[in-house]
Amino acid sequence: MLKRGISEIVSGRVLKNPADIRQLGIVFSYHALLWAMYLVPACRTIPLLLLACFFSFLNVIVAHNHLHQGIFQSRRLNMGLRYFLSFGALYAISTNVPAHNLVHHHFDDDGDWDWADGRYVGFRWNLLNILHFPNRVGTVGLAGTERWMLGAGRSDIRKQHRNEKFFTLGFTSLLLILDFWPALFFVVIPQLWARAAFSD
């Protein structure tokens, strides 16, 4: 049964490109690391935390690719994967549809700054620019996203964005309530690492 399911995924009936099984493997590995560290005290080690942070970065690369071209043939599966990717980055990845896919790739000639333009930070010391950039661009991008979402005909993406937000923040909050310190150190830290990486 499992062999048949994997065969169908790889054969192209489920995935648009069979090579995308690697991207699903990254997402699965990242979530497996988070759950292992959260649930199994023996897995709460610095090497596994660092590995989770590395996989959190790979997870946002998958999110980036997935927003450009959904991995699955099924729209429902594509929308469902966004919840897992959002949880891994601690924010609704649908935010990046207007903030990255549209602004960065389509509206670059309208005279306005890209929402991820480097000119939003201007310290003389580049290390400060790198550290402050995700915070500054995050506020610009979120404000722009909220404005864009209010436009006509965007109810589907607005609903998806809202649901991703509630799922991500709600589920993370639940983990913090159930077991605060393991959730903070072994779930939230990798999530924040991913979030900072996605902002860059």
Side-chain angles (χ1 to χ4, degrees):
M1 180 94 171
L2 178 62
K3 189 175 179 183
R4 183 179 169 210
I6 292 172
S7 172
E8 285 193 4
I9 290 172
V10 175
S11 71
R13 290 188 187 137
V14 177
L15 297 176
K16 289 181 181 173
N17 182 346
D20 283 337
I21 194 77
R22 290 178 298 215
Q23 295 198 76
L24 290 179
I26 287 168
V27 176
F28 176 81
S29 299
Y30 175 47
H31 284 267
L33 278 166
L34 293 181
W35 282 107
M37 291 187 302
Y38 181 74
L39 295 172
V40 182
C43 293
R44 296 172 188 164
T45 65
I46 297 298
L48 283 183
L49 176 61
L50 293 175
L51 188 61
C53 288
F54 173 70
F55 269 93
S56 75
F57 175 72
L58 296 179
N59 182 75
V60 296
I61 292 172
V62 173
H64 174 270
N65 295 341
H66 184 63
L67 287 173
H68 278 291
Q69 176 67 45
I71 290 173
F72 295 107
Q73 300 280 5
S74 160
R75 184 178 187 278
R76 185 171 289 178
L77 286 176
N78 283 326
M79 294 299 118
L81 181 57
R82 287 188 185 188
Y83 290 100
F84 289 95
L85 295 169
S86 296
F87 175 75
L90 196 58
Y91 83 106
I93 65 159
S94 290
T95 300
N96 286 69
V97 171
H100 176 75
N101 294 28
L102 299 178
V103 172
H104 184 64
H105 289 294
H106 293 285
F107 301 151
D108 52 352
D109 293 325
D110 65 358
D112 290 335
W113 287 5
D114 185 315
W115 294 351
D117 195 295
R119 291 174 285 185
Y120 283 113
V121 291
F123 296 106
R124 284 192 213 168
W125 194 26
N126 281 334
L127 179 60
L128 290 177
N129 289 328
I130 290 169
L131 293 173
H132 185 55
F133 183 77
N135 301 323
R136 183 67 183 101
V137 170
T139 57
V140 171
L142 288 174
T145 297
E146 293 302 323
R147 284 194 310 273
W148 185 86
M149 293 276 183
L150 294 175
R154 299 192 178 119
S155 59
D156 283 354
I157 192 164
R158 191 164 48 238
K159 181 180 176 185
Q160 177 73 19
H161 180 261
R162 184 193 66 227
N163 290 346
E164 288 172 17
K165 232 184 333 191
F166 286 146
F167 174 79
T168 298
L169 297 176
F171 197 47
T172 302
S173 298
L174 179 64
L175 294 179
L176 286 164
I177 290 166
L178 293 174
D179 204 347
F180 181 78
W181 293 111
L184 180 65
F185 285 107
F186 300 107
V187 176
V188 174
I189 286 177
Q191 286 175 323
L192 291 175
W193 185 270
R195 186 174 183 165
F198 213 12
S199 299
D200 288 344

